[in-house]
Structure formats: structure tokens, C-alpha cells
Amino acid sequence: MFRILKGASGERVFRTATISALVLLALFFIGIIVSLLAYTKWDTFISALGSSEILSAIKLSLMTATIAAVISMLIAVPVAYAISRSSFPGKDIVDSLLDLPIVVSPVALGAALLVFFNTPLGSAIDDNILKFVFSVPGIVLAQVTVISALAIRLLKSTFDGIDPRYEQVARTLGCSKPEAFFRVTLPLARDGLIASTLLTWARAVGEFGATVMLAGATAMKTETLPTAIFLSLASADVEKAIAVIFVLILIAVAALLIIRKTVGRRYRV
Amino acid sequence: MIEIRDLSLRLGDFNIQDINLSIHDGEYFVILGPTGAGKTVLLECVAGLHRFKKGAVFFNAADVTRLLPEERSLGYVPQDYVLFPFLNVFDNIAFGLKQFKISAAEIKKRVDEIAGILGITQLLRRDTRSLSGGEKQRVALARALAPSPRTLLLDEPLSALDLRTARSLRLELKRIHRQLELTTIHITHDLTEALEMADRVAVIQDGCVEQVAEPEAMLFYPDGDKVADFIGSPNILDCDYCRNLGQGVMEVGCGSLKLTVAHEGADIKKVAILPRHIYVSETRPPGLSVNGFQGLISTIESVGNVVKITMDVAGKKLMSEIPSYIFDEMDLVVGKEVFIILRMRRIRIYESNR
């Protein structure tokens, strides 16, 4: 059966199949970008980019994503370290629970957040501490909810890859546990920290589902870049949508390039 | 003095049971045992890296069982060195000193001093990843010694090094031990290393201490079959007479076998040499051969990747052990006449009659 898959011919067939898959996928992405380019006229593209609505969306997206990435990393570093190094009963359950935000649809997460802010506790927070629903802090909260799980995953694999013996040696050289963490483990995790920060930041820039549920899609107020695409297409302004798509692609490419430049080959993403 | 009392600990596959050891101040103490015997776990217990429920560790009669590693003032050199890759050699050595809150000038002075002792002054600006194995080991030692610990713990310090580097570091370790008057605990699976370096040896197997003795006593009088098996039946010869040849050399007679050994002092009663330190050759070795003899092969036995050959030499039975790949290149058969050399430096001597 399947004689063609045996021996040298099998090797050839296998090689051709895998490489064809790669080429087809590359063609698919190139095709999409080319079709975008074909659709765009240069001057309308520039004027769309320069419009105050898009500029404010760029500003809002970069600001919220940066705050969200910083908050996520501050949460993710201790959590990832705890999962990587300590063992406690029920650790597997906690570990799987933390993966939920990666798998569950962001729309569902956003809707859940919205429901939470309609409970007595949630509305008390919303009314008295910080207004999240249909406001800018809501964007940050939605982004943090979606990306912190990703940050934890990336950092956990970073901490997993650091031999605990480095900390042990630091301890015998006079460091307390926290000192060993800050003097040894964090420097060793540098590449992973940079890569995770940039990846979660880029993911936050692109976040739409949870954001639109919690913060809404009010032009010029809670309008991030993905929301701008949604609003432009909803009002049949394709030119503007394409302009924003290119801005998002540009940001993503920039993030990946920075990761490659700073972390280089030491950290594969 | 370091005392380990009734220490038991199960950790994954490792299981150490009822360990009792006392190590004197300034002693070079070697813990010898095969891979997986629990040596590293034991050392890590002394360093405070494991918590254990049963047993206690004392430093100078003070119970340190519950002390954290950073409170024990130990120098610890793990296997494969574990140098900090994000720091250069200088900063690796200075790592422990920076915990002392002393000035940068004092840190530099101490790092220079310790680098001088270990002969690595020229490496201080180097990236640790560009160092050779021997250099890494010296840096790891310097890092452990810089904060002036009272005790030095060495986990297989020479096993990852090539033979020549290992030999020079062996001498170096002994010199540093003497110079700094450190209590040293050294772990190894290598019998020769233990014999050469130890003031006393503890043989540990399957998590239990089988014998604690001076190297000669262990070699000549192994305690039980486990130790004897591990040592691998050395050739032991009783000596009838000995004559001082001067310059630290003695001639001893064991029956009609006359041996030249490096020794000064009292008369020698017994000599021992490990099978692996007896060289066998089909042709007469060139040059002056100290302790060179001729013998007849009486048996050949292949065990694992070594071949054990027993020979009749001047009325005595001697066993040699050679690696299979070398044996395969030679043409050795029972009854054949061969030339053998007993390496002078490897002959161990025993003075008192027990």
C-alpha cells in the first residue's frame, strides 16, 4: 500500500508536499496584501491616514496597549514564576485555568466583564473607583484580560528554561531568595521579558472583541485601531479601513523586527 | 568541624539513609561513590539547598539544619560550574562580595587577590562563555572563594575536564586547600582522584556510608564487599625489606620482585597498585624502565569495556586492567610473555602492620 511513500520517492514526495504547503500559505498572504494595495489610491490613503479620527485612534491604541502591556507584565512575572518553580496542590487546575483567556473568544471575555460591571460589586467599582464601562480604562482592562494569559505562558516557558541551580549558587554566595531572583533570574530572563512584552503589546494593539464589548465603539472616544476598521467598514469607507489595516500591519512588523534586533536568535518567537 | 547526624532524605530517584559523618577543621574530605549514589544530594544538604525532616547538620557544634544557604558561609562549586552567563569573569567572582556592602575598590582588591591565587588575572575581562573547561572551573572556584568561606564544597570538580587539565587542577586544589586552610568536601566517582587528594575518604553507595577511612586504609583494608568491589581489587604485595635510596625514593622487595617507590620515612609493610595502573606491552618498552618486569599471562577476562589480565611476575600474581579498544589492537593470549610497568607514582604504600 502507498508504495510511492517508501524509500527515496517517499522522501521526495514528503519534501514536495511540505514545501508546497509553505509556498501556498506564503502566496495566500502575499495575495491578500497585493489585493489591498490594488484597492488603494495613494492620495486617498494619505488623507485617510492624516484624518483626525485615525490619528486619535493610533494615539489611543498605542497608549492603551502600552499601559496594558506594562500591567500584564507586572502580573505575569510573579504568576509565571510561581507556576514554573513552586508546586502546590491544585497547581495543574490553576495552570489550566490561566490558559482559558487564550482559548476563549475575546468577545465572550468582554461580555463577561460587562456582565460583571452590572453586578452590585462591579457597578460599585465602576461608579466609585474607576469608570470602566464604555470608557478608556475599559479598553485597558479588556486588553489586560486577554493578553495577560499570553504573557504568563511566554514567561513561564522562559522561567522553565532557566536552571534553578543559578539561584542556588546565588544563595550560597549570600543572596536571599528575593535577591537571587532580582540579581540572577531576572537578568537571565531578559530576552524572554523583552520578547513577551513586545508580543503582548502587539497583541493588545490588535485586540478588538473584548474591547468593543466593554468599552464600546464610540468614534474618537473609545476608538482603537481595530475599532476604526470596524467603524469604517460599517460606514462603507473601505479606503479608510485599508489605511488602518496597513497601520496595524506596520506596527506588527515593527514589533517583530525589534524583537529580532534586540533578542536576535537567542529567543525564537 | 562539620557533623552530619542521621541524615535521611528521599528526593526523586535519590535516597540517602542514616548518613553519619564528621569532617575535621582543615580536612580535605572526599566523598567517593558511583554515579547515582546520592553524593550530590548529600553535599546539597550541607549547603542548605534541601530541607529534610530526619537528621541534622552541625557546624562547630552549632545546629545549622534550619539555616538558609546564604546564612552558612560556604563556598559551593556545583558540577558544570553554573557561571552566570550575563556577567563577565570579574563580575562573576565579585558576585558574592557585592552582598557585603563594601566599596567598589575593596571588591576589586579582593577579586584581584583571589584571581592571583588561582592564576586567572588575565581572564578577568572575558565573557564566561568563551572560557575553556579548566578556566571555567577556576572562575567558579574563585567565585566561591572570594567571600572567604570557612568551608568549600566541590561537586565533581574535575570530571568534566580533559586529563591534563584535571591533573594540574588537582595539584592546584590541594595547594589552595593548604594555603587558605579551608575545610573541603570534595565529591567524586573517581578512585584515583580520591586516593590522591583525600585526607580521609567516605565511600558511599546506594545512599549509605560504607566506609570512612584514610585512603591507604581503605585501599588495603576495604570494609565489606561493596567497597572492595568498588575499589576493584588492587594488587597488594607484602614487603620483606626496604632500602632508602635517598631523594625521596625507596626500594622495596616483595619476594623476588624489587620495586622503586616514592616514599620517605618509616619502613613500608605493604604496597598496592590498581590494575589500571599496570601497563602491559608486547615489546620491551624503550628507555630506562623503572619498575619494569617480564611476566606470563595466566588468564584473560573481558568485563564490560575493560579486559582484566592476570600475570605471573617473579612468583607473584599481578592483575592489569586495560581498555578493550587497546586490548583489541594487541595480540595477547594466555601463556604469552609480556612486558609490564608498574607506574611508580601510582604505587600506594602502607607503613604500619595491622
Side-chain angles (χ1 to χ4, degrees), chain A residues 163 165-177 179-180 183-185 187-188 266, chain B residues 44 49 68-70 74 76 78-80 82-86 95-96 98-99 143-144 147:
Chain A
D163 192 334
R165 290 196 305 163
Y166 285 109
E167 267 184 46
Q168 294 185 341
V169 170
R171 299 285 306 266
T172 64
L173 290 167
C175 290
S176 66
K177 180 83 185 166
E179 282 169 337
R183 285 193 67 191
V184 174
T185 308
L188 282 169
R266 282 168 292 157
Chain B
E44 286 170 350
L49 298 172
L68 297 169
E70 63 266 28
L74 294 162
Y76 171 54
Q79 216 174 341
D80 339 315
V82 193
L83 296 175
F84 303 125
F86 53 92
F95 189 93
K98 287 186 178 158
Q99 289 298 118
R143 181 180 63 180

Side-chain angles (χ1 to χ4, degrees), chain B residues 148-325:
Chain B
S148 316
R150 290 173 296 181
T151 308
L152 184 61
L153 308 178
L154 305 168
D155 190 352
E156 298 270 8
L158 307 172
S159 63
L161 304 174
D162 62 273
L163 281 176
R164 262 185 58 193
T165 316
R167 195 179 308 148
S168 73
L169 252 168
R170 226 182 261 179
L171 299 172
E172 194 98 326
L173 278 173
K174 282 296 271 185
R175 182 176 65 76
I176 292 162
H177 170 249
R178 273 197 305 272
Q179 191 176 342
L180 303 178
E181 294 172 347
L182 280 166
T183 309
T184 305
I185 306 180
H186 172 140
I187 281 184
T188 184
H189 63 268
D190 186 310
L191 176 63
T192 316
E193 197 174 303
L195 291 175
E196 206 145 290
M197 306 196 68
D199 292 330
R200 283 192 306 149
V201 185
V203 182
I204 133 166
Q205 254 171 336
D206 302 324
C208 296
V209 175
E210 296 293 338
Q211 184 173 13
V212 182
E214 287 167 3
E216 270 69 33
M218 180 191 69
L219 195 63
F220 288 91
Y221 301 101
D223 190 358
D225 292 342
K226 280 188 176 177
V227 180
D229 280 352
F230 183 67
I231 292 173
S233 45
N235 299 288
I236 296 177
L237 304 168
D238 293 313
C239 306
D240 321 317
Y241 82 93
C242 59
R243 187 159 63 93
N244 201 333
L245 301 178
Q247 291 174 335
V249 181
M250 264 191 183
E251 185 185 78
V252 292
C254 311
S256 48
L257 206 62
K258 283 188 179 53
L259 291 171
T260 312
V261 299
H263 179 61
E264 263 173 320
D267 280 4
I268 297 167
K269 301 294 182 196
K270 285 168 184 277
V271 295
I273 184 158
L274 292 172
R276 78 185 81 152
H277 294 142
I278 297 183
Y279 293 164
V280 179
S281 165
E282 290 166 287
T283 53
R284 181 181 289 281
L288 205 153
S289 64
V290 177
N291 298 336
F293 303 97
Q294 270 173 284
L296 277 179
I297 297 180
S298 55
T299 64
I300 296 176
E301 186 194 358
S302 179
V303 183
N305 51 11
V306 295
V307 178
K308 293 183 172 179
I309 300 166
T310 49
M311 292 155 297
D312 293 316
V313 183
K316 300 270 178 194
K317 282 240 181 268
L318 289 182
M319 180 157 76
S320 165
E321 191 180 286
I322 57 180
S324 303
Y325 70 94

Side-chain angles (χ1 to χ4, degrees), chain A residues 49-74:
Chain A
L49 259 189
S51 74
S52 63
E53 190 186 343
I54 299 302
L55 284 179
S56 98
I58 291 176
K59 222 175 92 189
L60 184 65
S61 269
L62 295 185
M63 185 189 75
T64 52
T66 306
I67 297 171
V70 169
I71 294 174
S72 300
M73 291 308 285
L74 289 177

Side-chain angles (χ1 to χ4, degrees), chain A residues 120-167:
Chain A
L121 172 66
S123 56
I125 294 172
D126 205 42
D127 293 342
N128 302 315
I129 299 172
L130 190 59
K131 177 125 189 72
F132 286 103
V133 178
F134 302 127
S135 69
V136 174
I139 300 175
V140 175
L141 179 63
Q143 289 173 342
V144 168
T145 312
V146 174
I147 65 175
S148 52
L150 178 68
I152 291 166
R153 246 341 99 193
L154 292 169
L155 281 178
K156 181 183 176 285
S157 70
T158 301
F159 287 133
D160 282 347
I162 296 173
D163 192 334
R165 290 196 305 163
Y166 285 109
E167 267 184 46

Side-chain angles (χ1 to χ4, degrees), chain A:
Chain A
M1 187 173 88
F2 295 132
R3 287 193 98 157
I4 197 157
L5 296 182
K6 300 271 184 218
S9 72
E11 201 176 314
R12 220 164 28 243
V13 168
F14 188 75
R15 208 178 132 77
T16 316
T18 49
I19 291 182
S20 319
L22 175 68
V23 170
L24 279 176
L25 188 70
L27 282 176
F28 174 62
F29 285 130
I30 291 169
I32 291 174
I33 293 178
V34 167
S35 72
L36 283 178
L37 287 172
Y39 212 96
T40 320
K41 284 183 224 65
W42 187 243
D43 45 345
T44 47
F45 176 77
I46 292 293
S47 69
L49 259 189
S51 74
S52 63
E53 190 186 343
I54 299 302
L55 284 179
S56 98
I58 291 176
K59 222 175 92 189
L60 184 65
S61 269
L62 295 185
M63 185 189 75
T64 52
T66 306
I67 297 171
V70 169
I71 294 174
S72 300
M73 291 308 285
L74 289 177
I75 298 168
V77 169
V79 173
Y81 187 80
I83 299 176
S84 173
R85 288 296 154 85
S86 48
S87 60
F88 48 89
K91 180 183 158 184
D92 285 348
I93 299 169
V94 176
D95 197 9
S96 321
L97 214 69
L98 289 169
D99 274 341
L100 267 186
I102 297 179
V103 206
V104 170
S105 157
V107 178
L109 287 176
L113 279 173
L114 191 60
V115 171
F116 168 75
F117 282 111
N118 279 312
T119 62
L121 172 66
S123 56
I125 294 172
D126 205 42
D127 293 342
N128 302 315
I129 299 172
L130 190 59
K131 177 125 189 72
F132 286 103
V133 178
F134 302 127
S135 69
V136 174
I139 300 175
V140 175
L141 179 63
Q143 289 173 342
V144 168
T145 312
V146 174
I147 65 175
S148 52
L150 178 68
I152 291 166
R153 246 341 99 193
L154 292 169
L155 281 178
K156 181 183 176 285
S157 70
T158 301
F159 287 133
D160 282 347
I162 296 173
D163 192 334
R165 290 196 305 163
Y166 285 109
E167 267 184 46
Q168 294 185 341
V169 170
R171 299 285 306 266
T172 64
L173 290 167
C175 290
S176 66
K177 180 83 185 166
E179 282 169 337
F181 176 78
F182 286 109
R183 285 193 67 191
V184 174
T185 308
L186 271 193
L188 282 169
R190 194 195 78 118
D191 292 351
L193 284 170
I194 294 173
S196 331
T197 310
L198 282 166
L199 281 177
T200 49
W201 177 81
R203 179 72 189 77
V205 171
E207 211 301 311
F208 174 66
T211 307
V212 85
M213 279 291 128
L214 186 62
T218 318
M220 306 289 283
K221 186 167 172 262
T222 59
E223 186 183 5
T224 61
L225 285 169
T227 313
I229 298 176
F230 174 73
L231 290 176
S232 308
L233 282 181
S235 56
D237 192 346
V238 183
E239 296 288 341
K240 201 188 256 174
I242 290 173
V244 180
I245 291 170
F246 274 116
V247 172
L248 279 175
I249 292 176
L250 216 73
I251 289 174
V253 169
L256 290 177
L257 277 182
I258 293 172
I259 291 176
R260 274 193 178 257
K261 272 278 175 215
T262 53
V263 184
R265 290 173 181 281
R266 282 168 292 157
Y267 196 89
R268 294 243 167 238
V269 285

